Amino acid sequence: MLTSTRLRGGALVGVLALAGGLALPTAAFAAEAPDVKDDPIHLDTGHIDAFNLVLNEDDTARLVLKEDVTGSHVLRTPESVTLAVKSQAFSTNLPSAGVPEGAPAELYHLPLTQDHELIWPGWDSQSVGSVYGSQAKVDIDVTAVDGPGEVFLWTTGQWGGVAPLLTEGWTFPGTIHQDFLAHVHANWGFTQPGTYTLTAHADVTSADGTQTSTSNEATYTFVVAPVPTALSVSGAEDEVAPGAEVTLTAAPSPAEATFSTYAWQTRASAEAEWTTVDGAATSTLTVDAVAGAQYRATVSGGKDYASGSAQPIVVESDPVTISTTGEDPVEQTISIAPLADHYHSGSPIDLQIVADPAVEDGTYRWYLQRTDQDQPVLIDDATGDRHRIPAAEQALNGAEVIAELVQDGTVLATSEAVTIEVDDHGAAPLQKVSVGGIADHYHTGATATLTASVTPASVLSRFEWYVQKEGETAPVLVEGENDATYAFSVTEDLAGAAVIATLTYDNGDSYVESAPVIVKLDDHGHEVPDTDLTISTNRDADDYWVGQTATLTAEQSTPTGLTEHQWLVKLPGADGFAAVDGQTAAEYSFKPTLANSGVQVKVQLLHDGEMHAESAPITITTQQREPVTTLTVTADKESYAAGETAQLTSTQNPQTDESHYHWYVKRAGASDFVWVDQSRDKALAYPVTAEDDGAQLVLRLFDDTHAMIAESEPHTLAVATGGTHPQPITDLSIDGLAAGYHVGETATLTAVQNPATDEDHYHWFIQRSGDADFSVISGAGEATLTHEVAEADAGAQIVAKLYDHDHTLVAESAPVTLTVLPGDPKPATAPSAQTEDALDGVDEGGITASTTTPTAGQVITVQVGEGTEHAGEWVAAWLFSDPVLLGGDWVQVGADGTIAVTIPADTTAEAHRLAVFDADGQLIGWQQLQVAAATSDPGTGAGPAGLPSTGGEINGIVLGTAGMLLVAGMILLLARRRRGADGIVSE
């Protein structure tokens, strides 16, 4: 037993200062006596402020313990609480850079950031600020430690590494000094299991030194559980009848150990392979007795950093053998292999059947039942012994999966259900709902067709649509509209109406909702003026060099407000003009070639689908620049096997300063060359497939205007065919396609096999608009493709192909089509967390809400800036004081300079501030709102409420009066601002 003490050098000074403090004038409002509980309690998880300062009735400081385990901010006497450090806190092979000097590599470690399986102790001095001020100095002095080992305390430095929190050294006894009031958490390390008693008091001094106080002396007890060193299994000692139930029990040694993650394995005999027992996750296991069957248990917990990353410490029992009195009947059983303890949204869920006895080429049915479904639902086309759910999501949390083994329609065996656990640790669902199809404006009587899309894809498919008409204070449910598409006639009373789509569970519970879109009615009120339509080009003349891009722009002599166009082309030798599919913007880009030199292009301006104006045609001619060098391509081999990579290199003769290259491929039967995706160097590593036999590759060199100045002779690939390896039978599909992408955004697509096979060799191919064939996407050889969307990808098709180990094609997906959205891309990262500090010193203004007295749950529109200067930009709208990111994501400013946001239904009825920030996190403006409480009228069909909210929430200190709340808030914000430089984590 180690006993350490520390002299209380400042005790007499503190007492004298306290005595002097008693002579000071009393506060106008004396503090109420704190409600401190004294009943014994054992805490082994949760947020705990062990050293927590509060005020006595006479404004002196009192040291108590505060916990959020049994309630919110529950105060307790430290002597009444046992703080249990579970065996799960044990860490071994800790990296030296992560622990203080002198600390062992094995510690019972309570981390700086919260581990929800352990206690999270810290300290909080903020509650004394109302008397001593936020800049008061505090010393928390642990004067004695009685226990079997040492107690370390440290934090993380600003640039990583470790940093001390004690005035001297790394271990208690010691003093925690604060230059201002703060709420702090830290790393704790106990070197040995057993009971530790810490004796502590606190000294508080106001910033001007006029007020001081020394708290009571308090005793804290930490009980550290040992790590299990062995595991035994009982229950198989006696012989039983075949098929009788046998209950096995695993017991750790020492018995005080608290590792709690159990697993069981079994095998038919001592010679067989071990398999995991599905669903067995406790210390007991009940089985039907089978002669000779063996079982063993494991229990795991803690962390072992020997491999460089934390792995659980596993303790395994010796096997036990079941003995029976007779022969066992053979029964076919199937089970589903154990799932992960939990999944995070976006990760795949792989399901596999274990059959006993083993079954070859069996046919199975898979069923899934979510918590919102009344019965299991058959998973279409899943007939193999393995199935992959492409991506976990919160809607699958608690879902059960079962499987059946069938033969000729007869069910031979049914598995027990396994449960999918999805835990994103408090984060909102990944899925975002967006509403597309909203027009800039509608005419009275027109039909609006809106489509809700979900990114990433969800297992849910039921929607609810809500409409909030202008002047109303809450969205109203549209009865009977539960599909992803909602079509309605635009009437006058819908002018300015907000429409919201909510993705729901099958039982109608809300999952996630879209940002509102606004219906804008404009019957123009006057005739659209006549205008002359002309075409300008991105060159002074209408002639281009091969390789350059022609960008044509429609210009109106008199602005009409019309924005819909239709581009038409007439190729040389054609009888007339033909519309170019999908080209309806004011700008049209394409690459002229020698073959289409002399093409004529014109454009029409449309009004309600009818031609309002038409330009005269212009003629685009194309010329080939004289080559400035000769390109020679050399390959590393004369022929390739499918699956190999062809290494192609090139040389210039004579050498030039130009280095802008592209490679192009034309497979057998294709009409023209297409760009090898992302090829921009003089060398090319080209993955060869069986379809490349006879394909030609050329290299082209371009100048700084992208005019082609050299082209190599075609190099022909020779590909040898593979053997006759039997091909697994599977279908391939592509998941993850979003409804649309902005230029610069990433499309993440996943190839899904059904049923799953052992093959994992993929290639991805793309065919852009105008390309004669698909081109392989360089570097894409796995089941998931991440593709940065470019402007040229509008309308591009992507396919995935699966190959076996001989590189014979096994399966090919149907193509998916990329839709490129207009405007700037949404920022790749979520909006940065904002606090009300950003509004300090900034005058109200910069934005204008449609109402300053909204009702909780109401949709409002916000004018961003003075006019349309922010149109098309992505912004984040925050509601303070508790920061809430409205809509949980970025919002794009409309063409009229406005955004629409929903005031959360749980917003408190009081004054709030609405602020809008740009994509760089800079404040655009803010406005004061007085939010009214939501009204509940079943007859109106109240709008969506209680949906997951995203964005951080800063929890302030709630005091008795509005003035005290303001002071406490200022103290909290100042403390946070000051702590940031220390690398100390605070709530």
Side-chain angles (χ1 to χ4, degrees), residues 240-463:
V240 296
E245 284 193 351
V246 176
T247 298
L248 306 176
T249 302
S253 178
E256 297 81 11
T258 60
F259 278 6
S260 58
T261 302
Y262 284 88
W264 292 82
Q265 292 180 313
T266 184
R267 59 185 178 183
S269 65
E271 293 75 30
E273 296 292 327
W274 288 103
T275 60
T276 300
V277 179
D278 177 41
T282 66
S283 61
T284 61
L285 174 68
T286 299
V287 298
D288 294 336
V290 176
Q294 291 191 328
Y295 293 87
R296 67 184 182 189
T298 62
V299 66
S300 59
K303 296 180 176 66
D304 185 350
Y305 290 87
S307 66
S309 61
Q311 300 295 325
I313 300 165
V314 180
V315 180
E316 184 178 274
S317 75
D318 290 333
V320 295
T321 305
I322 304 296
S323 299
T324 66
T325 57
E327 296 184 0
D328 298 303
V330 177
E331 179 184 4
Q332 179 68 61
T333 64
I334 63 171
S335 61
I336 300 176
L339 306 183
D341 180 59
H342 72 271
Y343 298 88
H344 294 159
S345 288
S347 60
I349 302 173
D350 287 312
L351 306 171
Q352 183 172 356
I353 290 174
V354 178
D356 183 20
V359 176
E360 291 187 10
D361 301 325
T363 301
Y364 296 87
R365 296 181 188 142
W366 291 88
Y367 298 85
L368 184 142
Q369 183 178 0
R370 300 191 307 267
T371 57
D372 60 307
Q373 294 173 319
D374 295 331
Q375 58 187 11
V377 176
L378 179 67
I379 301 175
D380 291 337
D381 301 323
T383 58
D385 62 355
R386 285 179 292 175
H387 178 67
R388 166 173 280 194
I389 299 174
E393 61 168 302
Q394 291 180 27
L396 285 173
N397 185 44
E400 292 187 339
V401 180
I402 62 173
E404 294 175 341
L405 173 63
V406 296
Q407 182 178 9
D408 298 328
T410 301
V411 177
L412 302 181
T414 301
S415 75
E416 295 291 332
V418 296
T419 302
I420 297 170
E421 302 289 345
V422 181
D423 186 357
D424 291 326
H425 310 295
L430 287 182
Q431 282 68 25
K432 304 291 183 186
V433 179
S434 58
V435 176
I438 191 76
D440 289 338
H441 69 272
Y442 295 93
H443 298 160
T444 301
T447 298
T449 301
L450 306 182
T451 302
S453 59
V454 184
T455 305
S458 173
V459 296
L460 304 180
S461 59
R462 183 185 184 275
F463 290 88

Side-chain angles (χ1 to χ4, degrees), residues 224-247:
V224 181
V227 176
T229 56
L231 191 67
S232 61
V233 175
S234 61
E237 297 84 1
D238 299 328
E239 192 175 76
V240 296
E245 284 193 351
V246 176
T247 298

Side-chain angles (χ1 to χ4, degrees), residues 932-954:
T935 58
S936 180
D937 181 359
T940 64
L947 296 180
S949 61
T950 60
E953 293 189 0
I954 299 176

Side-chain angles (χ1 to χ4, degrees), residues 41-363:
I41 190 169
H42 175 98
L43 300 177
D44 61 7
T45 61
H47 175 248
I48 299 165
D49 291 325
F51 307 131
N52 186 76
L53 283 172
V54 296
L55 292 171
N56 290 312
E57 287 182 281
D58 60 358
D59 288 340
T60 58
R62 179 176 178 183
L63 193 58
V64 298
L65 179 146
K66 182 173 66 180
E67 50 94 355
D68 291 327
V69 182
T70 64
S72 177
H73 298 346
V74 178
L75 300 181
R76 298 184 181 275
T77 59
E79 293 78 7
S80 68
V81 182
T82 300
L83 297 173
V85 181
K86 294 191 288 189
S87 304
Q88 287 88 325
F90 183 75
S91 295
T92 187
N93 295 306
L94 285 163
S96 59
V99 295
E101 183 179 357
E106 292 187 350
L107 280 174
Y108 291 85
H109 177 218
L110 301 176
L112 175 66
T113 55
Q114 185 172 13
D115 181 335
H116 292 277
E117 296 298 316
L118 304 172
I119 57 172
W120 190 34
W123 53 92
D124 189 353
S125 58
Q126 295 176 109
S127 290
V128 300
S130 60
V131 171
Y132 297 91
S134 64
Q135 298 303 306
K137 298 185 183 337
V138 174
D139 284 328
I140 301 170
D141 198 0
V142 177
T143 57
V145 176
D146 186 9
E150 295 181 292
V151 183
F152 284 80
L153 189 78
W154 75 97
T155 188
T156 301
Q158 184 173 4
W159 307 109
V162 297
L165 287 172
L166 301 175
T167 55
E168 295 182 7
W170 302 92
T171 61
F172 289 127
T175 299
I176 301 167
H177 176 74
Q178 292 183 318
D179 285 325
F180 48 88
L181 304 184
H183 176 199
V184 181
H185 283 271
N187 291 287
W188 298 64
F190 299 82
T191 58
Q192 296 294 331
T195 300
Y196 295 77
T197 302
L198 278 61
T199 305
H201 72 276
D203 296 313
V204 183
T205 305
S206 63
D208 59 7
T210 61
Q211 293 175 281
T212 65
S213 179
T214 295
S215 78
N216 56 301
E217 185 171 79
T219 302
Y220 296 84
T221 301
F222 289 83
V223 177
V224 181
V227 176
T229 56
L231 191 67
S232 61
V233 175
S234 61
E237 297 84 1
D238 299 328
E239 192 175 76
V240 296
E245 284 193 351
V246 176
T247 298
L248 306 176
T249 302
S253 178
E256 297 81 11
T258 60
F259 278 6
S260 58
T261 302
Y262 284 88
W264 292 82
Q265 292 180 313
T266 184
R267 59 185 178 183
S269 65
E271 293 75 30
E273 296 292 327
W274 288 103
T275 60
T276 300
V277 179
D278 177 41
T282 66
S283 61
T284 61
L285 174 68
T286 299
V287 298
D288 294 336
V290 176
Q294 291 191 328
Y295 293 87
R296 67 184 182 189
T298 62
V299 66
S300 59
K303 296 180 176 66
D304 185 350
Y305 290 87
S307 66
S309 61
Q311 300 295 325
I313 300 165
V314 180
V315 180
E316 184 178 274
S317 75
D318 290 333
V320 295
T321 305
I322 304 296
S323 299
T324 66
T325 57
E327 296 184 0
D328 298 303
V330 177
E331 179 184 4
Q332 179 68 61
T333 64
I334 63 171
S335 61
I336 300 176
L339 306 183
D341 180 59
H342 72 271
Y343 298 88
H344 294 159
S345 288
S347 60
I349 302 173
D350 287 312
L351 306 171
Q352 183 172 356
I353 290 174
V354 178
D356 183 20
V359 176
E360 291 187 10
D361 301 325
T363 301

Side-chain angles (χ1 to χ4, degrees), residues 623-943:
Q623 301 180 59
Q624 176 67 63
R625 280 195 51 180
E626 287 296 324
V628 300
T629 186
T630 299
L631 294 178
T632 302
V633 172
T634 304
D636 61 328
K637 296 173 66 174
E638 291 186 0
S639 65
Y640 301 90
E644 293 184 329
T645 299
Q647 302 290 343
L648 306 176
T649 57
S650 67
T651 57
Q652 298 182 22
N653 187 19
Q655 185 65 40
T656 72
D657 293 331
E658 304 293 348
S659 59
H660 185 164
Y661 296 90
H662 288 309
W663 291 82
Y664 297 82
V665 63
K666 183 171 75 170
R667 290 191 180 87
S671 60
D672 200 358
F673 286 89
V674 295
W675 180 43
V676 177
D677 191 66
Q678 305 305 314
S679 61
R680 296 186 174 91
D681 193 48
K682 66 179 181 180
L684 175 66
Y686 184 82
V688 177
T689 68
E691 299 97 308
D692 287 317
D693 186 35
Q696 293 183 319
L697 286 161
V698 298
L699 175 65
R700 294 169 182 167
L701 179 66
F702 301 86
D703 65 13
D704 57 358
T705 70
H706 213 272
M708 189 175 73
I709 54 177
E711 181 179 33
S712 72
E713 290 293 324
H715 175 81
T716 302
L717 292 176
V719 182
T721 58
T724 58
H725 178 70
Q727 300 178 19
I729 299 174
T730 188
D731 292 324
L732 205 60
S733 60
I734 295 177
D735 279 355
L737 181 73
Y741 303 88
H742 291 91
V743 173
E745 290 185 331
T746 298
T748 302
L749 307 178
T750 301
V752 179
Q753 302 178 25
N754 188 21
T757 73
D758 291 327
E759 307 298 344
D760 59 358
H761 187 170
Y762 294 86
H763 285 304
W764 292 80
F765 299 82
I766 187 168
Q767 183 178 23
R768 295 180 174 85
S769 180
D771 285 351
D773 196 5
F774 282 89
S775 170
V776 67
I777 299 177
S778 299
E782 298 181 350
T784 297
L785 168 71
T786 55
H787 176 76
E788 183 175 334
V789 177
E791 185 175 354
D793 289 332
Q797 292 189 318
I798 292 180
V799 298
K801 297 183 182 182
L802 176 67
Y803 300 83
D804 64 17
H805 67 269
D806 289 330
H807 215 272
T808 301
L809 181 65
V810 173
E812 177 177 349
S813 73
V816 295
T817 302
L818 296 179
T819 299
V820 179
L821 303 174
D824 295 329
K826 185 169 74 173
T829 57
S832 57
Q834 299 289 349
T835 70
E836 213 164 2
D837 288 354
L839 280 57
D840 292 348
V842 180
D843 291 338
E844 182 177 10
I847 64 171
T848 305
S850 57
T851 176
T852 58
T853 57
T855 299
Q858 182 177 355
V859 176
I860 64 173
T861 57
V862 182
Q863 179 70 47
V864 182
E866 299 299 324
T868 59
E869 65 269 27
H870 294 287
E873 296 179 6
W874 291 91
V875 298
W878 288 84
L879 190 67
F880 301 108
S881 56
D882 286 344
V884 177
L885 176 62
L886 299 183
D889 203 359
W890 296 101
V891 182
Q892 191 170 30
V893 181
D896 60 354
T898 66
I899 60 173
V901 295
T902 303
I903 304 298
D906 58 358
T907 304
T908 55
E910 58 183 333
H912 296 267
R913 292 200 280 181
L914 173 66
V916 177
F917 296 82
D918 66 18
D920 295 324
Q922 299 300 307
L923 178 67
I924 295 175
W926 68 274
Q927 186 172 19
Q928 186 88 13
L929 302 180
Q930 183 66 41
V931 177
T935 58
S936 180
D937 181 359
T940 64

